[in-house]
Amino acid sequence: MTAVTTREAPPRAGLTLFALCLAVFIVPYGLSSPPVALPAIGRDLDAGVVPLQWVVNSYNVMAASCMMAAGSIADRIGRKRVFAFGVALYGVSSLIGALAPHVVVLDVARGVSGVAAACIMTAGVSVMANMYEGAARTKAFAFVGVTIGAGLALGPTTSGLLSSALGWRSVFWIHVVITALSLAGFRLVQESKDPDANSVDWPGTVTFTVGLFLFTLGVIEGPQWGWASPQVLGLFLGCVVFLAAFVAVERRQRMPMFDLSLFREPRFLAVNLLATAVSFGFVGLMVLLPSYLVGVNGQSDGTAGLTMLLLTVPVLLFPLVAGRLVQAGVGMRVVLSSSLMLVAAGCAWLTVVHPGIGLLGLAGPLIVVGTGIGLIYGLMDGAAVSTVPPAKVGMASGMFNTIRLASEAVAVAGMVAALVSLVQSRIGDGLSRFTAGTALRTREVADSVTSGDVDGPVRQAAAGLRAEFADFLRTGYTEGFRIVLWCAAAICVVSAVVLHRILTDRPGDADPDTKEGERTEAPATAG
């Protein structure tokens, strides 16, 4: 291996990495903490299922829509500047969310937090890629994986405990505290930008961002408004128009917002496919499972949060293991494809769920899913930026995180819509037997059940039928949930096979089994 003659890490590297990771932590934590608190938010703000879904969806939609713009702007005006702006904006929007008097205010605040999350992720990863080289960069990105895992792991548990003890608003007060602490360490972070950049590509930024926003909004609202409704068709048509305008604009740009030639790099293409599969195998499960535990098993918010530790603690522990495996000579394609197969196996195993299932029954499948995700998170972010020139890391990070957040929004919306439809089909024929004489409709009951509220519809049934009705609803919910899990498992299996082929069947590309530390040294020694 060629010796690295440049400094691999900045002065006070440990403190700098801690400051960066503390800020990055808020992005996955902001994704995983609100879902467990949704039942409490709905009770306090008298919110229905759709507004409650937007507490999660608005964050994902805005983060996905703004990732590319944030990465491109960071490359041009300064990555540290965009990073700091994102952290400060996240703090302000979380403060508004904590004080929100109405669910619409909370939804808007969460959308602004999504914009801030886009700035934090793209600029933060870019800053780190420029401040660390070689083996130090490999270790730094392994800690990013640990940080993402920690945010995902701690979110459901702390949210459930806080919501039960102090109310749902305390969940967002914690966001404010974390952002305030992370801003204190920014004096250690070095500024960087693309030296060849001119002005921000505003036409490309606006057309791409609006196009992606219209697409994700259409996917989320399709199940509610109807896929053939004028509103949804209009959103998709608008998406096509804006994305066509984006392509036309970028062809005329000397410095385009995104260079599509980056997708010629197999590993960059593969990690984007990987991120999409992870969204279905993990992020969607993380949103759906707490509601199942509350609605079917009758757990409190706090208990459901503690149960989620079975899924999320391995995500905290295994990113560093993945880094060590690659440094020890295990091929990255082997680690990533095998880890995705673990996620598929865990989702398939979780189909053993049934009303009253205990911790022992849940432990095996949840730990298997969490282990696979933890190994993936240890490598995914570093792989996304290690194959592009240093000047383009913001662009690469922006596209990678755009696909990751967009796929999360689509996965959550699609899995929720599928679950509601499946539950609706399973309870539709027998509903009238329990609710004769009431105004309950099948769709309303399915929405209520899948959001974790089984008791609400049950209270409207005849007194002598309530216990039987509750069992009927829990059974329908469980059957629908199992089908969604099988679909998630299938997506992960197919993605693992395709991922393995992409990383091995591209002659002429760099060896995908090269150790990460060796791959990332090349730019430093060649310059």
Side-chain angles (χ1 to χ4, degrees):
M1 184 194 307
T2 305
V4 179
T5 57
T6 57
R7 185 172 61 194
E8 290 190 344
R12 306 177 73 180
L15 284 175
T16 303
L17 183 59
F18 176 78
L20 289 166
C21 286
L22 183 60
V24 170
F25 172 84
I26 193 62
V27 178
Y29 186 77
L31 169 68
S32 66
S33 55
V36 179
L38 291 182
I41 295 172
R43 291 190 297 268
D44 185 41
L45 299 182
D46 193 23
V49 173
V50 174
L52 280 179
Q53 286 182 6
W54 273 102
V55 175
V56 176
N57 289 337
S58 61
Y59 182 84
N60 280 344
V61 168
M62 294 308 299
S65 300
C66 296
M67 281 289 176
M68 273 302 303
S72 180
I73 292 171
D75 279 343
R76 286 161 169 77
I77 71 173
R79 292 149 182 161
K80 177 181 177 180
R81 182 180 300 178
V82 172
F83 192 33
F85 170 78
V87 175
L89 181 63
Y90 204 115
V92 172
S93 60
S94 296
L95 176 62
I96 295 172
L99 301 173
H102 192 277
V103 70
V104 173
V105 177
L106 178 58
D107 289 341
V108 172
R110 289 283 293 163
V112 176
S113 293
V115 176
C119 296
I120 294 169
M121 281 301 298
T122 54
V125 170
S126 303
V127 164
M128 196 172 298
N130 278 273
M131 291 179 66
Y132 295 86
E133 298 289 343
R137 183 191 286 178
T138 301
K139 294 177 182 177
F141 276 111
F143 278 106
V144 170
V146 172
T147 299
I148 293 173
L152 293 170
L154 295 175
T157 303
T158 57
S159 175
L161 295 174
L162 287 168
S163 180
S164 294
L166 301 175
W168 65 267
R169 296 180 188 275
S170 60
V171 174
F172 298 100
W173 280 112
I174 291 296
H175 295 185
V176 176
V177 172
I178 293 172
T179 53
L181 290 174
S182 63
L183 283 172
F186 269 44
R187 60 186 180 83
L188 301 172
V189 178
Q190 299 172 4
E191 181 63 281
S192 65
K193 61 178 69 174
D194 182 350
D196 298 323
N198 294 320
S199 58
V200 175
D201 176 18
W202 287 114
T205 298
V206 171
T207 52
F208 183 89
T209 300
V210 174
L212 184 57
F213 173 78
L214 293 176
F215 173 75
T216 50
L217 182 61
V219 170
I220 287 171
E221 292 294 350
Q224 299 295 332
W225 295 345
W227 292 106
S229 67
Q231 301 97 313
V232 172
L233 293 177
L235 289 172
F236 287 138
L237 178 61
C239 167
V240 172
V241 170
F242 274 97
L243 291 183
F246 169 73
V247 173
V249 166
E250 295 304 277
R251 286 179 175 176
R252 294 179 172 84
Q253 289 285 345
R254 186 180 68 85
M255 295 289 292
M257 176 179 165
F258 183 73
D259 184 1
L260 293 176
S261 66
L262 291 180
F263 280 111
R264 296 172 187 167
E265 168 55 47
R267 183 167 12 174
F268 184 72
L269 182 62
V271 294
N272 283 283
L273 171 65
L274 181 66
T276 302
V278 165
S279 297
F280 285 91
F282 177 63
V283 177
L285 177 61
M286 193 170 57
V287 172
L288 295 180
L289 186 56
S291 294
Y292 182 85
L293 295 175
V294 171
V296 174
N297 274 18
Q299 294 184 358
S300 66
D301 295 342
T303 303
L306 290 173
T307 303
M308 293 295 290
L309 286 174
L310 295 169
L311 174 67
T312 54
V313 165
V315 180
L316 173 63
L317 299 178
F318 279 88
L320 288 177
V321 175
R324 292 192 181 102
L325 287 173
V326 172
Q327 289 179 339
V330 181
M332 183 176 289
R333 67 177 178 84
V334 174
V335 176
L336 291 178
S337 57
S338 299
S339 300
L340 198 52
M341 290 298 289
L342 277 179
V343 177
C347 288
W349 188 1
L350 191 57
T351 59
V352 300
V353 292
H354 57 82
I357 189 171
L359 287 178
L360 289 178
L362 293 169
L366 293 183
I367 290 173
V368 169
V369 172
T371 300
I373 294 297
L375 292 169
I376 290 169
Y377 278 177
L379 302 175
M380 194 162 59
D381 287 272
V385 298
S386 65
T387 58
V388 301
K392 302 299 182 184
V393 292
M395 183 182 290
S397 174
M399 178 55 80
F400 170 65
N401 283 291
T402 294
I403 292 174
R404 175 156 64 180
L405 268 294
S407 65
E408 288 175 0
V410 172
V412 170
M415 292 173 76
V416 169
L419 182 59
V420 170
S421 298
L422 289 166
V423 172
Q424 185 175 352
S425 68
R426 275 153 180 73
I427 67 175
D429 293 339
L431 189 63
S432 60
R433 182 163 65 92
F434 299 99
T435 60
T438 71
L440 283 178
R441 292 183 297 179
T442 306
R443 178 71 192 209
E444 294 173 348
V445 174
D447 283 344
S448 177
V449 168
T450 53
S451 67
D453 182 13
V454 174
D455 293 336
V458 169
R459 283 193 293 268
Q460 300 189 47
L465 297 175
R466 288 178 182 175
E468 185 181 353
F469 187 33
D471 290 339
F472 172 73
L473 294 179
R474 293 187 180 105
T475 299
Y477 189 1
T478 300
E479 291 174 354
F481 190 38
R482 286 172 179 166
I483 294 176
V484 170
L485 290 171
W486 279 119
C487 292
I491 290 172
C492 290
V493 169
V494 172
S495 299
V497 173
V498 174
L499 174 72
H500 194 275
R501 292 187 63 84
I502 288 176
L503 290 178
T504 57
D505 292 344
R506 294 294 185 92
D509 288 312
D511 181 7
D513 290 344
T514 301
K515 295 180 184 180
E516 184 70 10
E518 296 174 1
R519 278 294 292 264
T520 54
E521 289 176 13
T525 56

